[in-house]
């Protein structure tokens, strides 16, 4: 299995997840994919166990499943892949300029076009690796009060 997670850090934080089967498609497959802390699945029909994991079932011939989630804003966000995980993951972060963020853990993959108008921070973790995002709202210009802490309404 491959899990692609796209974090969109905008006014509202969201997360889009796509689970893709790598194994042959001739048999049904069922796995649990852990949710990120603060993730709330919004897509109808996606089963969630104890607010901790999405239950992914792929029938014979099905290659992927996806869902959209809300993500609670926080000053610190940690994402990890367990050392014994039977899946690979790719994490992409689209960061709106209103947020100042710093990543700790390992380096992102260099974008294909370093001169693109906006960058997507893309990480390809190995089993056992953890990524920590530290963030806060960017300071507003004089005359504007755009300062607030993450986790609080704007």
């Amino acid at each position: 299995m491959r899990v692609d997670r796209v974090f969109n850090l905008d006014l509202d934080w969201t997360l889009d997840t796509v689970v893709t089967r790598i194994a042959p498609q001739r048999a049904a497959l069922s796995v649990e994919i852990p949710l990120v802390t603060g993730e709330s699945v919004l897509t109808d029909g996606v089963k969630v166990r104890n607010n901790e994991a999405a239950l992914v079932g792929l029938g014979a011939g099905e290659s992927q499943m996806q869902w959209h989630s809300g993500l609670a804003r926080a000053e610190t966000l940690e994402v990890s892949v367990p050392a014994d995980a039977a899946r690979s993951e790719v994490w992409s972060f689209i960061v709106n300029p209103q947020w100042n963020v710093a990543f700790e853990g390992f380096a992102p993959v260099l974008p294909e076009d370093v001169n693109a108008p906006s960058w997507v921070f893309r990480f390809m973790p190995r089993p056992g690796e953890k990524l920590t995002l530290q963030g806060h709202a960017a300071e507003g210009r004089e005359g504007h009060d755009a300062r607030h802490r993450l986790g609080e309404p704007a």
Side-chain angles (χ1 to χ4, degrees), residues 45-122:
V46 176
K47 295 181 182 175
V48 175
R49 183 183 52 80
N50 299 331
N51 290 328
E52 295 176 354
L55 306 176
V56 175
L58 297 175
E62 291 182 312
S63 62
Q64 68 179 209
M65 178 179 174
Q66 59 188 21
W67 63 88
H68 178 74
S69 301
L71 188 62
R73 286 187 282 178
E75 289 187 18
T76 302
L77 176 66
E78 290 186 354
V79 190
S80 62
V81 177
D84 61 351
R87 67 182 184 278
S88 65
E89 296 211 15
V90 176
W91 307 324
S92 300
F93 291 83
I94 302 167
V95 182
N96 185 292
Q98 76 188 40
W99 304 113
N100 288 329
V101 299
F103 297 98
E104 299 172 6
F106 55 97
V109 176
L110 187 66
E112 288 183 26
D113 181 4
V114 295
N115 296 315
S118 63
W119 274 28
V120 174
F121 297 93
R122 189 169 180 234

Side-chain angles (χ1 to χ4, degrees), residues 77 79 102-107 123 130-134:
L77 176 66
V79 190
F103 297 98
E104 299 172 6
F106 55 97
F123 297 87
K130 175 176 81 170
L131 182 70
T132 302
L133 177 144
Q134 299 285 336

